[in-house]
Amino acid sequence: MDEIAARLGASATLEDRSFRLLAYGAQHGDIDTVRQESILRRRASGEVRDYFERYGIARAEGPVRIPADAALGVLARVCWPLRHGEVTYGYLWLLDSGALTDERLAAAAPLVARAAGALAQEARSRDDLGRGLLALFSADPEERAGAAVEAAGPVTAIAVRESQERVAALWTLPRGVLARRGSPVALLAPAHLAGEVAQTVRSAYGTAAGVGAPRADPADAWLSWREARQALRIAEHFPRYAPVARWEDLGVHRLLARLGLPDLRELAAGTAALDDELAQTVEVYLDLGGHAQKAAAELGIHRQTLYYRLGKAERLIGQDLSDGDDRLAVHLGLKAARLCRQEGR
């Protein structure tokens, strides 16, 4: 980066395809709000990204000149897509005071090609390691024994729901993080980075993530991966735990996450007589430990209305919500019914 910035006499930044900052060179001349935000916050705003993409940078095969926009705090700049093998791996941004002629840009082309090649190599290296994750995460001991993956513990597995509309530049994750695209996306991270990695990848896709419990021995990472997938299931269906659910925080929801649809339907059968309004009322009431005043406030109804609904629900399902065993059965049944409804869709 510094070599490119020095060769062109311009401030330079390098970002991945998701506009996340990877590196920046020494400052030359003026600096605009966008460059400041990119360096300080590690990512451009959505409005700024939309402005840049308007100039066709995602499909461009060479430098693209982008004019200034005072309202966005954007100075004139050149965007140089970093392409290798007809794939765009990132963008080189150069602030342009008017000195970046076509001739000067052409002279820097070999340096830019080298940077694109380095990004492509990093991406391929990550893909090779990622392929070994499937074996490392397998429940089959023989497959795990053949996994060509080296990792230092403690490690944590992460499952992230992929998106058809958005792309995450997995090769830009911190070193030591292994990733593999799929359904869901599989990641293995040093335990102390797991939360950050889960949030970064989840945000890139705009979806949800599940984080397994850490394992001191990487050979046990498959257990963390199983937990991560189950935690993702909860994150996608229970707003309380969204968008990133950690296995260690799920409490009784761990039990539900382990159950298949037939078992969930069996649990939910006891509450099938409740319509959506009554089911929500009882679930909120039980979520709040049977505290009527809080439940009424949460639902936005009068306390007498709450009592009326609870009484009606008890008659329909033949359960006594003042009895501990009945309350437990109803509470689990309502949670199971939520998973059944949403996974059935």
Side-chain angles (χ1 to χ4, degrees):
M1 285 299 300
D2 284 337
E3 189 176 357
I4 293 174
R7 175 75 64 88
L8 295 173
S11 298
T13 54
L14 179 63
E15 295 179 340
D16 65 24
R17 287 186 300 189
S18 301
F19 297 92
R20 192 168 65 89
L21 182 68
L22 301 179
Y24 59 93
Q27 176 65 31
H28 293 262
D30 293 335
I31 184 171
D32 64 359
T33 302
V34 173
R35 178 172 165 85
Q36 287 177 323
E37 290 293 305
S38 179
I39 293 173
L40 294 175
R41 301 184 185 278
R42 316 298 291 182
R43 190 180 180 91
S45 71
E47 189 177 16
V48 169
R49 294 199 299 272
D50 290 343
Y51 175 71
F52 290 152
E53 288 176 335
R54 194 183 309 161
Y55 290 90
I57 62 174
R59 299 178 300 278
E61 297 185 359
V64 178
R65 296 186 182 276
I66 298 177
D69 187 310
L72 288 176
V74 175
L75 293 177
R77 66 214 317 115
V78 171
C79 174
W80 202 325
L82 297 177
R83 293 176 63 83
H84 186 84
E86 299 184 352
V87 176
T88 299
Y89 289 94
Y91 300 105
L92 173 67
W93 298 93
L94 303 161
L95 289 182
D96 184 14
S97 62
L100 292 179
T101 63
D102 291 344
E103 292 75 17
R104 293 188 70 182
L105 290 173
L111 292 177
V112 176
R114 193 169 72 193
L119 281 183
Q121 184 177 11
E122 175 71 13
R124 285 195 298 270
S125 176
R126 288 295 185 91
D127 284 344
D128 290 341
L129 290 171
R131 279 189 283 274
L133 269 188
L134 297 183
L136 185 66
F137 285 165
S138 172
D140 185 336
E142 291 187 6
E143 285 192 38
R144 293 201 302 273
V149 174
E150 293 185 6
V155 294
T156 299
I158 303 161
V160 181
R161 181 61 60 204
E162 74 284 9
S163 169
Q164 298 299 320
E165 293 76 31
R166 297 168 70 171
V167 175
L170 300 179
W171 64 85
T172 64
L173 293 169
R175 290 191 178 278
V177 177
L178 305 180
R180 174 69 172 169
R181 298 185 190 281
S183 182
V185 177
L187 301 112
L188 184 68
H192 70 283
L193 291 178
E196 175 187 343
V197 170
Q199 190 60 253
T200 296
V201 179
R202 182 217 67 79
S203 297
Y205 283 118
T207 54
V211 180
R215 293 299 192 281
D217 186 348
D220 293 329
W222 69 281
L223 295 169
S224 183
W225 171 239
R226 183 174 64 184
E227 294 164 353
R229 286 185 291 119
Q230 292 168 347
L232 172 61
R233 189 182 186 190
I234 298 301
E236 292 183 302
H237 300 317
F238 293 90
R240 172 183 174 185
Y241 295 103
V244 177
R246 302 181 66 92
W247 179 255
E248 296 168 303
D249 299 336
L250 295 185
V252 71
H253 288 82
R254 296 185 193 181
L255 170 64
L256 294 173
R258 291 188 176 110
L259 299 179
L261 277 176
D263 291 325
L264 288 172
R265 291 192 183 104
E266 183 178 344
L267 265 181
T271 62
L274 302 180
D275 60 25
D276 290 346
E277 182 180 73
L278 288 178
Q280 180 193 25
T281 299
V282 176
E283 186 173 5
V284 169
Y285 173 73
L286 295 177
D287 283 347
L288 295 173
H291 195 297
Q293 185 174 351
K294 289 181 179 179
E298 176 75 17
L299 293 164
I301 59 177
H302 193 276
R303 201 183 309 183
Q304 287 304 120
T305 303
L306 172 70
Y307 290 139
Y308 168 77
R309 291 184 186 176
L310 293 177
K312 183 177 180 181
E314 287 179 321
R315 291 191 295 275
L316 286 172
I317 60 179
Q319 300 280 21
D320 180 1
L321 294 179
S322 66
D323 178 85
D325 287 343
D326 285 359
R327 286 165 74 126
L328 177 60
V330 173
H331 207 180
L332 284 174
L334 290 170
K335 299 300 183 184
R338 181 191 293 270
L339 278 174
C340 287
R341 285 195 304 271
Q342 296 181 352
E343 293 192 352
R345 297 190 189 114

